[in-house]
Amino acid sequence: MGRQPCCDKVGLKKGPWTAEEDKKLINFILTNGQCCWRAVPKLAGLLRCGKSCRLRWTNYLRPDLKRGLLSEYEEKMVIDLHAQLGNRWSKIASHLPGRTDNEIKNHWNTHIKKKLKKMGIDPVTHKLLPNAIDQTKCEKQQQLQEQQNQQESSSPIEDDTKVENENDKNKEPQKQETSFESSTINEAKEQDQVMTPLFDSLELMNEFLIEEVPIINSNEILVPCVPSSSSNTTSTSSSSNSNSSNFLEDLLLPDFDWSHNFNVNNNIENNNFNENSNNNINMTLWDDDFIRSWDFVINDDDDGDRNQVFEAPHNQYPKVIMDSEIWAYGMF
DNA sequence: AATGAGTACAACCGCAAGTTG
DNA sequence: ACAACTTGCGGTTGTACTCAT
């Protein structure tokens, strides 16, 4: 007897998920929690296989997902982790809270691979490509040649100063490199905030050791949250941290009054927020699509006013410690 | 404006590991 | 111990979108 397919494929829908399907899935998981994916489509009234539901949830609908491009800092981490773990995307993703293995894999294939190749680094082995090695050899030879020429054409006194200057010149990049080499993740974070270019060398990348990567437990995942309707708009992370249920309560608010409060006042600020990737809170989790999903889940009104989509500005994302069990066991 | 190439990313597929009866 | 089942992972594909011509 062969292995049963994960689902009966006859009559099952494939391809992109519709808003209606998302709604059903979110509704179901909010009500019942995540369990037995095989049973989910039947119980949720979806013509999908359980696998597809799980994928949709974990890669797209999950509330603790960050959306948007990976930051410079995240990219650096991915490169370093990939150097050590290879294509074990889920392992890599586990070091980047809010990111999925699929997302990282896609980003690797579309962005990072190219960047590394441009830099003369083999994205598979993380070593310098033969061409790049030849190039650096040539450059070194050229430099030596130039130095020799300069030495020949200059007086001994000038020589000393020149040599010193040359040394200084040579020191400059070295200094930079060693400072990079000694950098910790925190320093990398700081560098990321000033948008430094990607690595100058392989050595640099290898400095991001796994041991240095802060592993964040699922129950520590920060979920951007919205203040309640009556809330002060300057709510701080500390105030929200102290009460993890705020997030849930807010989600359960029947009227979502707060949604348009922000929409009106903060469009400009939002634009700045999206453009300003230096900002620590680089979470675009609550993008239109996502909010739309939740909006209609809560209101259960497909014809509801879509203009009242919540768009909270970056300074109004209180940090909330997300208790994984709340999601896992459907405590909504 | 039309169109073809390139890009980004959501989704699918098959396999393997883990779990259960 | 073993087969059936479930879940998760990594590779690949399909398609919508963007941009250059």
Side-chain angles (χ1 to χ4, degrees):
Chain A
M1 196 162 110
R3 188 192 151 89
Q4 254 195 357
C6 76
C7 49
D8 181 12
K9 298 190 180 185
V10 181
L12 286 187
K13 195 168 173 284
K14 283 168 74 172
W17 280 64
T18 63
E20 186 63 28
E21 288 175 309
D22 282 346
K23 176 184 168 181
K24 282 181 180 173
L25 183 57
I26 292 168
N27 248 336
F28 178 81
I29 293 178
L30 291 187
T31 314
N32 304 288
Q34 292 179 61
C35 67
C36 193
W37 284 109
R38 183 175 267 243
V40 166
K42 247 185 192 174
L43 298 170
L46 289 162
L47 289 171
R48 298 271 181 176
C49 74
K51 208 172 177 178
S52 181
C53 293
R54 181 178 56 81
L55 223 66
R56 182 65 180 170
W57 175 258
T58 53
N59 285 338
Y60 199 82
L61 299 175
R62 245 172 56 196
D64 57 336
L65 289 179
K66 279 189 204 175
R67 312 285 314 163
L69 280 175
L70 269 72
S71 70
E72 200 90 359
Y73 167 62
E74 287 174 315
E75 236 177 43
K76 284 174 185 174
M77 277 188 65
V78 169
I79 292 168
D80 182 62
L81 289 165
H82 184 272
Q84 298 178 53
L85 300 169
N87 289 1
R88 292 156 78 183
W89 304 115
S90 63
K91 288 267 183 293
I92 294 172
S94 68
H95 289 84
L96 293 158
R99 300 294 186 183
T100 66
D101 52 353
N102 205 36
E103 194 178 6
I104 291 169
K105 183 173 59 182
N106 282 333
H107 191 77
W108 177 269
N109 287 328
T110 54
H111 293 97
I112 301 177
K113 251 185 179 177
K114 286 176 199 165
K115 273 189 186 176
L116 291 179
K117 277 180 184 170
K118 254 188 180 178
M119 292 157 57
I121 296 167
D122 186 349
V124 180
T125 61
H126 290 257
K127 290 177 180 168
L128 281 174
L129 289 163
N131 290 345
I133 293 169
D134 291 346
Q135 214 177 330
T136 47
K137 274 183 185 172
C138 287
E139 281 170 6
K140 274 187 180 176
Q141 278 181 348
Q142 275 183 348
Q143 278 181 352
L144 274 173
Q145 192 72 42
E146 282 173 18
Q147 278 182 6
Q148 280 176 357
N149 291 341
Q150 283 173 353
Q151 279 174 3
E152 284 168 9
S153 63
S154 59
S155 66
I157 300 168
E158 282 173 330
D159 248 350
D160 287 337
T161 53
K162 274 209 169 171
V163 168
E164 263 184 32
N165 286 340
E166 286 295 327
N167 285 342
D168 284 345
K169 275 182 194 171
N170 291 337
K171 272 179 193 170
E172 210 48 51
Q174 276 179 349
K175 238 184 188 176
Q176 219 175 1
E177 201 172 281
T178 45
S179 73
F180 269 120
E181 281 176 4
S182 64
S183 66
T184 62
I185 285 293
N186 283 338
E187 284 166 341
K189 236 179 190 170
E190 286 167 18
Q191 285 159 10
D192 183 38
Q193 285 172 6
V194 291
M195 297 299 280
T196 53
L198 205 60
F199 304 97
D200 291 334
S201 69
L202 181 64
E203 290 85 358
L204 168 61
M205 283 183 292
N206 286 339
E207 284 310 302
F208 292 95
L209 300 173
I210 282 186
E211 289 75 24
E212 292 173 337
V213 177
I215 298 174
I216 298 177
N217 297 325
S218 60
N219 62 342
E220 293 172 342
I221 290 173
L222 301 179
V223 177
C225 179
V226 296
S228 66
S229 57
S230 62
S231 72
N232 54 49
T233 52
T234 56
S235 61
T236 60
S237 56
S238 59
S239 64
S240 305
N241 273 341
S242 62
N243 185 3
S244 65
S245 65
N246 281 353
F247 172 66
L248 310 177
E249 286 166 6
D250 287 339
L251 267 179
L252 286 169
L253 283 175
D255 51 5
F256 270 48
D257 273 351
W258 40 263
S259 62
H260 60 275
N261 289 343
F262 296 114
N263 199 33
V264 174
N265 297 323
N266 299 298
N267 279 337
I268 298 169
E269 210 169 344
N270 279 339
N271 289 339
N272 291 338
F273 169 50
N274 288 333
E275 285 168 13
N276 185 6
S277 56
N278 292 346
N279 198 311
N280 263 342
I281 314 167
N282 188 20
M283 290 190 184
T284 50
L285 161 63
W286 300 98
D287 63 359
D288 285 0
D289 285 345
F290 183 80
I291 295 303
R292 222 171 283 140
S293 309
W294 289 95
D295 194 43
F296 67 60
V297 166
I298 303 297
N299 292 318
D300 203 23
D301 176 14
D302 281 338
D303 300 316
D305 185 3
R306 287 282 184 269
N307 293 329
Q308 293 192 355
V309 164
F310 166 71
E311 289 182 331
H314 65 282
N315 61 351
Q316 289 169 0
Y317 285 113
K319 290 176 187 170
V320 171
I321 302 293
M322 190 64 184
D323 186 346
S324 59
E325 290 192 355
I326 286 169
W327 282 102
Y329 300 108
M331 293 174 72
F332 276 102

